[in-house]
Amino acid sequence: MARYDRAITVFSPDGHLFQVEYAMEAVRKGTTAVGVRGPDHIVFAVERKSTAKLQDPRTVRKIHKIDDNIVLSFAGLTADARVLINRTRIECQSYRLTFEDSPSVEYIAEYVSGIQQRYTQSGGVRPFGISTLIMGFDTDGQPRLFQTEPSGNYTAWKAVAIGRNMKTVKEYLEKNYSEETAQDGVKLACRALLEVVEAGGKNIEVAILRKGQSLEFLTEEKVDEYINIIEAEKAELEKKKKPAVTD
Amino acid sequence: SLRAAASGVPTSAVQVQSMAGMDCLIGFVGQGFAMLATDRNAARSIMVYSQKEDKIRELDSHKMLAVGGDPADTVQEPEYFQKNMALYALRNGVPLSTHAAANYMRGEKSYNLRRRLSAVDMLLVGYDEGVGPSLYFIDYLASMQQLDKTAMGYAGFFVNSTLDAHWKPDITETEGLELLEMCFAEIQKRFMISMPNFIIKVVDKDGIRVLERPPK
């Protein structure tokens, strides 16, 4: 087995590309990122890694504006993400220069995943150790949410999670995503993230992209507000579940 | 940058009759604002294609560029600058200052000049917080100068003296419009080419606006 996981250009006898799978392991170690697509808005809620006391938190961003209408978040190796984000920003402007139009979200997702795939089929390079979440509005006004993986695969989602504990979060989203709950994407995204992250505005970063508006980062206070509402609703639900005490 | 994507331009020595000079570009700074005005003719040889051309490009929320010269270059060059400036703003979270933008454009024009001929004149005008309004003259030879008031093209011959006589450092927007009307009158009286329409744009702390000419 060890012989088939050195160079990524080598398949293993049972059809695995081990380096790609190891890259996905790196993603599973990264902090969680959740994306939720509503009818006219899309939300990213990401786990904020605790910054050291003397560190400037402004430089530890996980949600990045790629273009006026496209936003990217990720889980995995931050430096790898920085490189991909840079190239994607250039591609957006290049597209605009050529076509005098903004690129669709799918175009960008395909572009990012195309780069990631190329790094699984070249000699001497390793795959990017990140999965990305790409959200945005197309020119037809529709919101879109895509996920890319180290393998170079990309898929569209209504709601998704990547990074550590993503299974728990995805299960929660599958159970609780509905047309009704999607109306308030921030609440749903926060509720999902709170399944695996400690409650508190300093542990969660939330950004919302509304149709026709630029990206908005929620302040820590605003996030705390949402968390309080969510905790109150949870308590209500718990109370209803407990059977009434009868003497 | 996008330079790699835009390379591959042939450097043949075909001489095209340069139309540089036919575009009238006027600009000046005032009290908390900067103004640009251009004619609206799009013409070649003896033919007028349109008299509704908008020669003032908005580069971002607080910068605009009046462009004159050879037709296709006047579209390609500013668009290339604008996209690279947008890329800078996305990468760094802040847009370029007007001063930085002017120097960037001058540098690119200088680089291009050593590879091919380009006849594009520009007037860059912008408003920066803490600095106020500024005007930069960048001609087709990539000479750049920050100025209070100027006019490019043949119009310059007629209008620079009017600007010299009537512009003052604390000129207001209303006085600026009056000054422009004096400039337009001079052009329409003395310049051989008919220029019936002009477009005026102003930038201040609140962004860019298109100004209506006062009714006759």
Side-chain angles (χ1 to χ4, degrees):
Chain A
M1 261 277 249
R3 295 201 332 265
Y4 300 105
D5 66 358
R6 286 290 146 174
I8 50 115
T9 47
V10 180
F11 273 107
S12 73
D14 53 352
H16 288 265
L17 286 171
F18 278 114
Q19 277 300 305
V20 177
E21 290 181 15
Y22 296 163
M24 305 223 214
E25 266 307 307
V27 173
R28 268 174 232 128
K29 291 211 168 10
T31 50
T32 321
V34 177
V36 171
R37 187 187 88 197
D40 60 353
H41 63 279
I42 325 169
V43 177
F44 276 164
V46 305
E47 179 185 354
R48 227 204 278 253
K49 202 162 76 167
S50 50
T51 47
K53 242 170 105 171
L54 296 174
Q55 209 172 39
D56 186 344
R58 283 177 305 173
T59 53
V60 191
R61 271 255 127 97
K62 263 186 52 142
I63 302 175
H64 298 268
K65 201 168 142 188
I66 300 296
D67 197 0
D68 289 336
N69 59 323
I70 298 180
V71 184
L72 185 147
S73 187
F74 65 93
L77 302 172
T78 313
D80 285 6
R82 198 176 61 231
V83 167
L84 270 182
I85 288 168
N86 236 353
R87 283 208 225 164
T88 313
R89 281 180 174 148
I90 294 177
E91 180 61 18
C92 280
Q93 295 308 312
S94 183
Y95 186 101
R96 280 177 182 265
L97 184 60
T98 312
F99 299 107
E100 190 71 22
D101 204 3
S102 57
S104 65
V105 189
E106 176 155 16
Y107 178 90
I108 293 303
E110 198 177 325
Y111 177 78
V112 172
S113 57
I115 299 180
Q116 288 185 286
Q117 192 281 340
R118 223 172 302 142
Y119 279 68
T120 69
Q121 216 175 3
S122 273
V125 297
R126 63 162 176 82
F128 286 90
I130 60 164
S131 283
T132 72
L133 291 182
I134 303 171
M135 70 170 175
F137 283 91
D138 285 342
T139 42
D140 62 2
Q142 288 306 309
R144 299 242 187 278
L145 173 62
F146 284 88
Q147 179 202 348
T148 75
E149 292 175 321
S151 59
N153 209 17
Y154 78 93
T155 39
W157 294 81
K158 294 181 187 158
V160 69
I162 51 174
R164 57 186 179 211
N165 302 311
M166 62 183 233
K167 258 217 185 104
T168 317
V169 182
K170 265 165 99 165
E171 271 169 24
Y172 181 88
L173 286 170
E174 273 174 25
K175 265 198 225 126
N176 291 280
Y177 182 95
S178 70
E179 231 184 270
E180 206 197 307
T181 53
Q183 296 291 326
D184 190 345
V186 177
K187 197 150 47 135
L188 182 57
C190 286
R191 271 163 59 202
L193 195 56
L194 283 171
E195 293 283 303
V196 298
V197 172
E198 201 189 309
K202 57 180 176 65
N203 299 318
I204 298 180
E205 186 170 25
V206 182
I208 175 167
L209 187 65
R210 270 179 254 269
K211 186 162 154 183
Q213 295 178 29
S214 58
L215 184 65
E216 185 201 331
F217 283 92
L218 297 189
T219 59
E220 232 178 85
E221 293 82 34
K222 199 84 213 220
V223 178
D224 279 324
E225 257 180 60
Y226 270 100
I227 292 177
N228 289 335
I229 296 174
I230 292 167
E231 305 269 272
E233 283 178 1
K234 261 201 209 157
E236 274 290 313
L237 227 62
E238 279 304 309
K239 252 203 271 177
K240 287 203 185 120
K241 279 205 197 132
K242 276 213 180 96
V245 177
T246 48
D247 288 318
Chain B
S1 81
L2 297 175
R3 187 176 284 161
S7 69
V9 171
T11 51
S12 64
V14 173
Q15 291 290 80
V16 179
Q17 179 134 64
S18 174
M19 299 302 288
M22 304 298 272
D23 300 300
C24 295
L25 315 177
I26 308 171
F28 54 83
V29 296
Q31 236 184 76
F33 73 92
M35 225 177 249
L36 278 178
T38 67
D39 72 292
R40 305 194 72 168
N41 280 358
R44 198 180 201 98
S45 172
I46 57 168
M47 179 77 166
V48 175
Y49 296 126
S50 161
Q51 291 184 322
K52 287 249 146 54
E53 202 58 8
D54 181 353
K55 301 183 187 179
I56 306 178
R57 283 181 171 277
E58 293 170 31
L59 298 179
D60 68 23
S61 62
H62 287 76
K63 280 185 212 47
M64 49 186 187
L65 195 70
V67 193
D70 283 343
D73 293 339
T74 55
V75 171
Q76 197 274 339
E77 223 178 48
E79 273 189 359
Y80 175 77
F81 294 159
Q82 196 262 325
K83 295 298 180 267
N84 270 310
M85 286 164 60
L87 184 61
Y88 179 96
L90 280 165
R91 272 190 178 145
N92 299 288
V94 284
L96 279 169
S97 65
T98 311
H99 169 87
N103 278 283
Y104 160 68
M105 287 190 234
R106 192 217 71 80
E108 285 279 3
K109 279 174 86 60
S110 188
Y111 176 90
N112 290 338
L113 207 55
R114 280 146 184 76
R115 282 153 188 83
R116 63 183 294 258
L117 295 168
S118 167
V120 181
D121 294 320
M122 307 174 157
L123 284 182
L124 170 69
V125 128
Y127 187 93
D128 301 286
E129 209 184 294
V131 173
S134 46
L135 164 68
Y136 289 85
F137 165 110
I138 308 169
D139 78 358
Y140 73 105
L141 292 172
S143 355
M144 185 190 78
Q145 187 65 45
Q146 183 177 7
L147 296 165
D148 292 325
K149 60 208 184 312
T150 189
M152 276 175 138
Y154 290 122
F157 289 101
F158 304 99
V159 152
N160 272 322
S161 43
T162 312
L163 292 172
D164 274 341
H166 298 285
W167 180 88
K168 47 191 167 81
D170 55 352
I171 193 168
T172 66
E173 203 177 289
T174 325
E175 290 167 338
L177 276 175
E178 283 167 16
L179 175 53
L180 280 177
E181 288 300 322
M182 277 191 256
C183 295
F184 300 155
E186 196 62 32
I187 293 170
Q188 283 166 343
K189 185 172 179 185
R190 294 297 182 189
F191 187 32
M192 196 181 97
I193 307 293
S194 161
M195 300 197 143
N197 299 324
F198 292 90
I199 184 164
I200 308 170
K201 292 190 187 173
V202 67
V203 64
D204 57 20
K205 63 170 170 40
D206 299 319
I208 298 171
R209 277 173 293 132
V210 182
L211 292 183
E212 291 294 326
R213 291 179 65 190
K216 285 203 179 70

